[in-house]
Every structure is written in structure tokens, then in C-alpha cells.
Amino acid sequence: MDCGIFTSKSVLLFLSLVFWAAGAALAYVGAYVIKSYDNFEHFVQDKYTLIPAAIIIGVSVVMFIFGLVGCCATLRESKVGLSFFFLIIMLIFAAEVAALVFSFIYQGKIKEDLGRSMNDVFMKYDGQDAETKAVDYLQTQLQCCGIRNYTSWSNTTWFSSHNNTVPLTCCKNTTSTQCTGRLDQLDLLNTEGCEDKLVNLLQGVLGYAMLVILGFAIIKFFGMLSVCVITCQTGNRRSGYQPLYA
């Protein structure tokens, strides 16, 4: 077999395996969501919460079909199948490039957007509502206190209405009875702000996602080149079929 044909087929077969692996991963996620819903069905009464899980499973089936089409078209060198597979790869490649561009643009705007939203959420903190749970979770998970630092709480209504104290989730040990949230107990408090920590976390996640997207985009690019190579080589041969093991 011609080296170019063999390499091109190998790339396309690998790409088909990528589709299958992605489909299996999505199916697992969808099944996990449905299982989680079943475990807490007494608390979650809205049946529409299953729609995302159904969509995820549906997409996984489509991904599996795309992988099957690519595998069969590659082995049989079907022009129609390869053309369809090329179109699929090109659309996904375009979507990945768009996602990469938007991720790059948004990465520089994370700090600005977070600054506004965090100010609003922290100002609404009252110890009871959804904003309270979000702030408590953030401060506990990131081991931080306030927006820029612990002194940011002095500008909130919570601070003035609770004897100039910060929430107990600012404590290094939230189960400790010694930490009362007073600012004269700095050795018991997390003093770093949450904004910088959250920005670093989100930028790190986004950077990792960009690398993954770039890697898959490169694979798709070589996949499109492989389809072109196989199609051109097939057109130059009298027999339109050459098995991979030949």
C-alpha cells in the first residue's frame, strides 16, 4: 500500500476512534446525570431537569454514528462517505476554531466581568439566600475572604449589621469555636481575597480547555488533509477499493 494512503487511513481511523471515545464519555455523563436525579427525585420535582441529560445522550449517539461512518468510508474508500465525513470534520473544526478564538478573547475579560458580578453578590450577602450559599462555598473552597481581601467586607451591610465581623466561612477552620469573624483574629482568618484566586482558577481551566481544543483542531486538520489524499489517490486508480491491510 502507498505510504500516503496508509498514513491517511490511519489518521482517519484514529479520528473515528476519537468520535467513539467522545461519544462514550458523553453517554457516561448523561447516564450519571440521570442516576443523580433518581437519587434525589424526592427533592427535585421538575422533570425538565432531565432534558440536558437526554440531549447529552442523543449527542453521544450521533458521535458514535459519525465515527462509524468515518471508519467504513475510510476502509472502503467511498467517495460519498469520505465527502460526508470531510464535511463533518470541517464543521467541527470550524466550531473548535471559533471556540478557541472566543476563549482567547474571554480569557482577558474574566477579571473585569468577575469584579462587577462579585461586588453585587457580596453586597447581597445576608446569611440566608442563594447569594449567601454561593459566597460561603467560594470562600470555603478557595480559602479566601472578601473580594480583594478580608477588608472588603467592611463595605457590606453584613459587616455593619453583625458587629463588624466577617462571615465564619472566612475562618481557616470553619468548625473552630475560637474563630468568631472579628478582625482582631487575623491569625484565625483567611486574609487573601477571592477575586484573584477565582480569576487564576478560571483562567487556568480556560487555558487547559484551549489546549485541548487546539489539540483536537490539529487532529481534525490532518483528518481533512487525509480525506483529500485518499480521494485524490483513489481517483487516480482504476480500482476504487484498497483494503488497509494490503
Side-chain angles (χ1 to χ4, degrees):
M1 174 185 288
D2 181 78
C3 182
I5 290 290
F6 179 82
T7 303
S8 298
K9 284 187 173 184
S10 299
V11 170
L12 289 180
L13 289 177
F14 174 74
L15 200 56
S16 299
L17 291 177
V18 170
F19 275 107
W20 285 337
L26 288 174
Y28 172 80
V29 172
Y32 179 77
V33 171
I34 293 177
K35 179 175 173 55
S36 299
Y37 171 82
D38 289 339
N39 291 336
F40 301 100
E41 60 180 348
H42 296 294
F43 302 99
V44 184
Q45 299 297 326
D46 191 357
K47 298 294 183 180
Y48 290 105
T49 54
L50 288 177
I51 291 179
I55 293 175
I56 290 174
I57 293 178
V59 170
S60 70
V61 173
V62 173
M63 293 286 284
F64 181 82
I65 294 175
F66 285 167
L68 186 62
V69 169
C71 182
C72 293
T74 300
L75 293 176
R76 297 190 60 83
E77 296 183 7
S78 168
K79 287 188 176 181
V80 175
L82 287 173
S83 299
F84 179 66
F85 196 46
F86 179 85
L87 179 62
I88 294 170
I89 298 174
M90 185 176 65
L91 291 175
I92 297 177
F93 176 78
E96 288 173 342
V97 171
L100 192 64
V101 172
F102 281 116
S103 297
F104 182 78
I105 294 174
Y106 183 69
Q107 194 175 33
K109 299 175 63 177
I110 288 179
K111 187 175 180 65
E112 179 184 350
D113 294 341
L114 278 180
R116 290 194 300 266
S117 61
M118 289 183 72
N119 275 316
D120 294 338
V121 174
F122 272 74
M123 287 301 295
K124 294 177 182 178
Y125 187 94
D126 62 2
Q128 296 179 352
D129 58 14
E131 284 79 6
T132 294
K133 294 180 180 179
V135 171
D136 286 341
Y137 181 81
L138 177 67
Q139 293 190 147
T140 301
Q141 293 298 312
L142 298 185
Q143 296 181 341
C144 56
C145 183
I147 300 175
R148 291 171 181 81
N149 53 53
Y150 69 98
T151 61
S152 298
W153 279 106
S154 60
N155 300 321
T156 64
T157 55
W158 168 272
F159 186 80
S160 58
S161 62
H162 287 76
N163 298 322
N164 296 337
T165 61
V166 298
L168 295 181
T169 49
C170 282
C171 297
K172 293 180 180 178
N173 185 1
T174 56
T175 60
S176 172
T177 57
Q178 296 179 345
C179 183
T180 60
R182 299 201 314 269
L183 297 187
D184 58 356
Q185 298 179 319
L186 292 182
D187 57 323
L188 300 178
L189 297 175
N190 295 308
T191 57
E192 294 183 71
C194 296
E195 183 179 13
D196 288 340
K197 285 194 171 186
L198 186 56
V199 167
N200 292 335
L201 176 65
L202 293 179
Q203 286 182 338
V205 171
L206 199 57
Y208 177 75
M210 290 170 64
L211 288 176
V212 173
I213 292 172
L214 179 61
F216 276 103
I218 292 174
I219 294 174
K220 301 296 191 308
F221 176 75
F222 282 106
M224 289 188 291
L225 287 180
S226 299
V227 171
C228 293
V229 169
I230 294 176
T231 303
C232 292
Q233 291 290 339
T234 302
N236 294 331
R237 293 200 307 260
R238 293 183 177 180
S239 61
Y241 172 72
Q242 180 177 357
L244 180 61
Y245 50 81

